[in-house]
Amino acid sequence: MRSALKICICVGMAAGAMNPMMAQQQSRRWAIVVHGGAGVIERATMDPKTEAAYRASLTQAEAAGAKVLDRGGSALDAIEATIQILEDDPLFNAGRGAVFTAEGKNELDAAIMDGSNLKAGAVAGVTRTRHPIALARAVMEKSPHVMLIGAGADAFAAEVGLEQVDPSFFFTERRWQSLVKQLQKEGRPVPARPAGAPPAPPAPAAEIEPPNAHKYGTVGVVALDRAGNIAAGTSTGGVQAKRWGRVGDTPIIGAGTYASNQSCAVSATGTGEYFIRLGVAREVCNLVQYKGMTLQQAADQVIHKELEALHGDGGLIAIAPDGQLAWSFNTPGMYRARQVEGAKLQLGVYNDEP
Ligand code: ASP
């Protein structure tokens, strides 16, 4: 009898069965996934120094989020901490280091969503708020609205005491040269160098980024905290040489950013127009919630089938309250990192890495 019982327990465990206690313990392990944009990121065009810099930056930002979660902090706090570091890092197309519009400005978009209560905050076209992700969170927590845009959003940021900077704070030579190059190539007018930018270097800066670099660098984080709540956040400068107040998917809840404890949390990156049309982030969660797909199956279905059917490009990261993590992209690379409590950090750049 005894040995039969033992066998039963072993078989049950091997098949993944857990008593409620064990399930609860498992769901209380925190986890975090970070992306730094998807695009034409290939070994052939990436020099080792640049690659090492991206890997180091991702590691540092992820560690900040992991530290918050490890102290028992919320998924929202971890996301904000991680994204603020990436917004300050000139390597990424968010905050300082954002791409320029055709008029030579940096117009920033961001969103955050709390999966525990479906509250969300988003901003688009901000030009003076140092950390757009903090502003998105303030919209969620301190205003009755979900989305604010342009000068009004910056004014709200100032009102709630968020750090304001001169627009030239976001200027980087690398992104400026990239804009100039694109506009010249397309025969479009090149705007004057922005007021407040440092003087132009005597000779144009050497090629410090691979071709098509302007196509990536958006940042996003999804996290699961020890309380079992998930959240998502994304921040970007959008696409280079954008015009007419263009807004991409990043601040559109359900397109570039979404979180619900009923299904999953997603942060996307890629050509935003396609992500908006497909409602990518919500679509992934729908497949999990209503079709019973695993998180990875749902992410792959949306990226490799639905996005590809429209000839869209990009990727996403996702997390579920039960601890499932996923990433999926149809570009040659996506800067990415993930970690589960008690396990090692996993970093990736190219599409042949796990
Ligand atoms: N999705 C962003 C946008 O369209 C850009 C990106 O992720 O690279 O604004």
Side-chain angles (χ1 to χ4, degrees), residues 38 93 109 215-218 236 238-239 246 248-250 268-273:
N93 174 18
D109 306 336
K215 289 206 169 153
Y216 56 81
T218 291
T236 189
V239 292
R246 180 264 186 196
D249 60 314
T250 297
T269 175
T271 309
E273 283 67 14

Side-chain angles (χ1 to χ4, degrees), residues 30-318:
W30 58 257
I32 184 167
V33 192
V34 181
H35 75 74
V40 185
I41 307 165
E42 289 167 322
R43 278 198 180 81
T45 50
M46 175 75 86
D47 72 276
K49 224 170 113 191
T50 308
E51 181 181 335
Y54 274 104
R55 286 185 189 267
S57 285
L58 272 180
T59 304
Q60 193 206 352
E62 190 276 346
K67 199 167 146 195
V68 170
L69 294 167
D70 210 45
R71 281 199 310 249
S74 70
L76 283 175
D77 284 344
I79 287 166
E80 192 182 340
T82 308
I83 292 185
Q84 285 202 13
I85 289 175
L86 294 168
E87 286 176 338
D88 280 343
D89 189 328
L91 283 179
F92 297 94
N93 174 18
R96 172 181 260 164
V99 297
F100 284 93
T101 67
E103 288 179 338
K105 295 188 177 141
N106 303 111
E107 294 180 352
L108 313 170
D109 306 336
I112 195 161
M113 186 159 183
D114 182 346
S116 72
N117 54 20
L118 300 189
K119 286 189 176 168
V123 292
V126 304
T127 58
R128 294 184 167 271
T129 302
R130 176 169 174 182
H131 293 121
I133 193 67
L135 177 50
R137 186 162 180 189
V139 171
M140 174 172 79
E141 292 178 342
K142 297 181 178 160
S143 91
H145 307 299
V146 168
M147 189 176 209
L148 300 180
I149 61 163
D154 281 320
F156 172 73
E159 241 172 71
V160 296
L162 293 179
E163 185 177 350
Q164 299 294 286
V165 292
D166 186 83
S168 63
F169 171 85
F170 301 110
F171 179 96
T172 55
E173 194 62 41
R174 166 197 193 215
R175 296 294 189 191
W176 181 254
Q177 294 301 336
S178 176
L179 173 77
V180 170
K181 213 188 281 177
Q182 180 182 342
L183 293 175
Q184 282 171 344
K185 200 167 138 205
E186 293 172 2
R188 293 159 69 185
V190 175
R193 199 173 166 86
E207 191 72 44
I208 49 173
E209 62 185 47
N212 288 318
H214 62 276
K215 289 206 169 153
Y216 56 81
T218 291
V219 303
V221 181
V222 293
L224 163 65
D225 59 32
R226 285 216 191 102
N229 293 319
I230 55 172
T234 318
S235 183
T236 189
V239 292
Q240 179 167 283
K242 63 187 181 182
R243 285 187 282 180
W244 310 304
R246 180 264 186 196
V247 177
D249 60 314
T250 297
I252 309 293
I253 299 303
T257 308
Y258 188 77
S260 165
N261 279 8
Q262 301 303 312
S263 50
C264 67
V266 174
S267 170
T269 175
T271 309
E273 283 67 14
Y274 298 96
F275 285 69
I276 295 173
R277 286 178 208 151
L278 286 170
V280 160
R282 178 65 217 186
E283 176 77 348
V284 172
C285 295
N286 280 343
L287 293 174
V288 169
Q289 192 170 355
Y290 302 117
K291 290 251 178 176
M293 287 190 186
T294 67
L295 195 62
Q296 190 64 54
Q297 282 168 346
D300 288 341
Q301 157 80 20
V302 173
I303 294 298
H304 293 294
K305 299 222 167 85
E306 300 180 27
L307 183 66
E308 275 175 23
L310 293 187
H311 305 291
D313 62 331
L316 61 84
I317 54 172

